[in-house]
Amino acid sequence: MQADVYTARGNGRASSPSGASTGVHEALELRDGGKKWGGKGVSKAVANVNGKIARALAGFDVSDQQGIDALLCGLDGTENKSRLGANATTAVSLACAQCAANERGVGLYRLLGGKKIPAPMLNVLNGGKHAGNGVSIQEFMIFPLYFPTFSESLRAGSEIYHSLRGIIAEKYGAQATGVGDEGGFAPPCRSTDDALALLERAIGECGYQKKVLLAMDAAATSFYDAKSASYKVDGKRLSAGELSDFYVSLAKSHPIISLEDPFCEEAFQDFAALRARLAGRVQLVADDLTVTNVERLAKAIECGSLSSLLLKVNQVGTLSEAISAAVLCRRNHLGVVVSHRSGETEDASIADIAVGLGFGQIKAGAPCRAERTAKYNRLLQIEEELPSGGFARASGIVL
Ligand code: 2PG
Ligand code: MG
């Protein structure tokens, strides 16, 4: 949902996205329920923006982001934004940030202080809840890391994406080249190995073997069975230990440099054990485990569960709270991957946030569909504005 903020000197617009594989600990996205829009309407959240929130914010200094976000949290008064809706608070919080940038005549990334353009993780093959192809792992990404500029890394990503399309058409037929939620293809691969092999072949055909690595988001909560405490992957039931062995063997046979949510959203210790096994080789990213929430992140840090945090503003509901999570990561020498959602909008604020925070990594889907390309196009625009380019390459990855 979208919010607009107006002041005497400027205006700002932002939208809150939505996720298909949401973590149970995320802030609540307020939907209307009932029959209209299949229950997915947001008229209650819109009424909260136009009513309570608008009244409370009238006359507030839009450049005081922390003050605005504290006010939104106070007004909501719940642990998980369930009164106002995190969709309402996220849209307003980001619209205020955009308005403050607009008042000063600069891009939001400048207001956030950074100038490092992130390396993109492009999700080119979709599975799990983002596709209907029977593939357990949710995201297979290409990570063009070793290029001198962002635009060159994006070009490589785009070339590989189109080469992958040809390979899939040849192997599974043209009908298998439809795309999933994040713009990646969704072919009926028989195994995780098969999917990774397709990506490697596409990278090889484009001649980028040494410059483009692989990343995966397992989103393992979606294939975890709590009753039997096991995971169903590639048609097999695996214990956490067996799943850990599976990831270690995948990392041996494929050039995987980043792995997100390898276990379910409560498995702090399993994350930590795998992180130790893959130390120095693979970045372990926490998403559903930590949900951009400082308390859960602190617990994950204490357990040693992650090397980088996946940061999504709408998981927590305000920009300031998301920034607090990023600050905690910086203090603990952890990385941050700024991320889109599977249900995105044309809003490109995450591109500015990624540059502004300066951790050097963004995950924004395939180079396909306008809600994904909006983020990449914004990064290209920022690259033109930054004289030195400021591209992060592989520097933001924490292994
Ligand atoms: C994820 C996200 C984005 P969703 O799991 O990392 O790729 O998916 O928005 O469905 O939670
Ligand atoms: Mg994820």
Side-chain angles (χ1 to χ4, degrees):
M1 66 173 274
Q2 180 177 292
D4 287 283
V5 170
Y6 299 92
T7 65
R9 281 176 295 157
N11 56 65
R13 167 174 290 179
S15 299
S16 159
S18 181
S21 65
T22 43
V24 287
H25 301 288
E26 289 192 24
L28 181 104
E29 188 184 6
L30 187 60
R31 302 279 192 164
D32 295 340
K35 276 201 172 155
K36 275 192 201 164
W37 302 101
K40 300 284 188 189
V42 290
S43 62
K44 290 178 190 162
V46 168
N48 288 340
V49 172
N50 291 333
K52 280 186 206 136
I53 295 178
R55 280 196 298 277
L57 283 182
F60 218 89
D61 176 5
V62 81
S63 64
D64 178 9
Q65 187 72 41
Q66 286 193 349
I68 288 165
D69 290 340
L71 189 143
L72 289 171
C73 291
L75 203 60
D76 177 79
T78 67
E79 288 272 294
N80 64 347
K81 309 284 187 301
S82 53
R83 193 163 293 143
L84 295 174
N87 39 353
T89 58
T90 299
V92 170
S93 177
L94 291 174
C96 288
Q98 292 288 1
C99 184
N102 177 263
E103 278 193 351
R104 290 194 203 178
V106 298
L108 175 58
Y109 71 94
R110 284 201 195 268
L111 214 62
L112 297 175
K115 47 183 184 321
K116 202 183 206 178
I117 301 185
M121 280 182 197
L122 301 114
N123 180 7
V124 295
L125 202 153
N126 295 183
K129 285 192 175 169
H130 294 174
N133 53 358
V135 174
S136 316
I137 302 284
Q138 180 176 281
E139 300 170 25
F140 294 87
M141 296 173 275
I142 47 173
F143 206 178
L145 283 171
Y146 302 106
F147 293 83
T149 62
F150 173 76
S151 41
E152 283 176 67
S153 79
L154 186 62
R155 176 173 53 77
S158 182
E159 289 169 7
I160 295 164
Y161 177 72
H162 287 284
S163 149
L164 181 62
R165 184 195 172 89
I167 294 167
I168 289 171
E170 179 197 299
K171 187 161 180 192
Y172 299 99
Q175 75 282 0
T177 57
V179 299
D181 289 356
E182 300 191 347
F185 301 110
C189 299
R190 266 184 302 157
S191 68
T192 306
D193 251 317
D194 276 0
L196 290 166
L198 288 177
L199 265 60
E200 278 178 83
R201 192 173 145 201
I203 292 170
E205 280 188 6
C206 295
Y208 292 129
Q209 291 93 327
K210 295 222 163 68
K211 295 182 155 194
V212 180
L213 301 182
L214 302 179
M216 293 195 324
D217 178 4
T221 302
S222 64
F223 53 84
Y224 178 63
D225 174 33
K227 263 196 200 145
S228 59
S230 66
Y231 295 86
K232 196 163 181 212
V233 191
D234 295 352
K236 289 181 214 125
R237 286 219 166 273
L238 303 180
S239 67
E242 289 164 341
L243 185 59
S244 182
D245 293 344
F246 173 69
Y247 292 127
V248 170
S249 91
L250 285 178
K252 274 194 190 130
S253 45
H254 303 279
I256 297 168
I257 193 165
S258 186
L259 173 61
E260 181 183 328
D261 279 358
F263 302 100
C264 79
E265 59 205 331
E266 311 296 348
F268 288 91
Q269 299 305 339
D270 295 329
F271 270 68
L274 181 61
R275 184 191 174 208
R277 289 181 77 182
L278 295 174
R281 286 181 288 151
V282 177
Q283 165 178 261
L284 208 72
V285 181
D287 170 18
D288 291 349
L289 183 80
T290 38
V291 292
T292 319
N293 174 301
V294 168
E295 278 92 53
R296 288 191 67 85
L297 175 60
K299 180 171 176 190
I301 292 172
E302 206 183 302
C303 298
S305 312
L306 76 166
S307 38
S308 288
L309 171 77
L310 200 81
L311 183 144
K312 296 164 168 167
V313 178
N314 85 318
Q315 275 183 330
V316 64
T318 63
L319 179 58
S320 301
E321 288 168 282
I323 290 176
S324 299
V327 168
L328 186 56
C329 286
R330 183 160 282 137
R331 243 187 263 142
N332 286 278
H333 311 289
L334 301 178
V336 169
V337 182
V338 175
S339 174
H340 68 157
R341 299 304 307 244
S342 50
E344 263 298 331
T345 74
E346 66 273 33
D347 185 289
S349 301
I350 60 161
D352 284 75
I353 294 169
V355 178
L357 294 179
F359 281 87
Q361 300 181 73
I362 191 168
K363 169 172 116 157
C368 167
R369 301 176 30 151
E371 79 278 10
R372 314 292 153 188
T373 55
K375 282 67 167 174
Y376 296 126
N377 287 335
R378 174 67 186 143
L379 288 167
L380 290 172
Q381 193 183 0
I382 295 174
E383 184 172 59
E384 284 186 5
E385 288 174 16
L386 290 175
S388 62
F391 184 48
R393 287 189 249 186
S395 60
I397 296 174
V398 178
L399 298 175

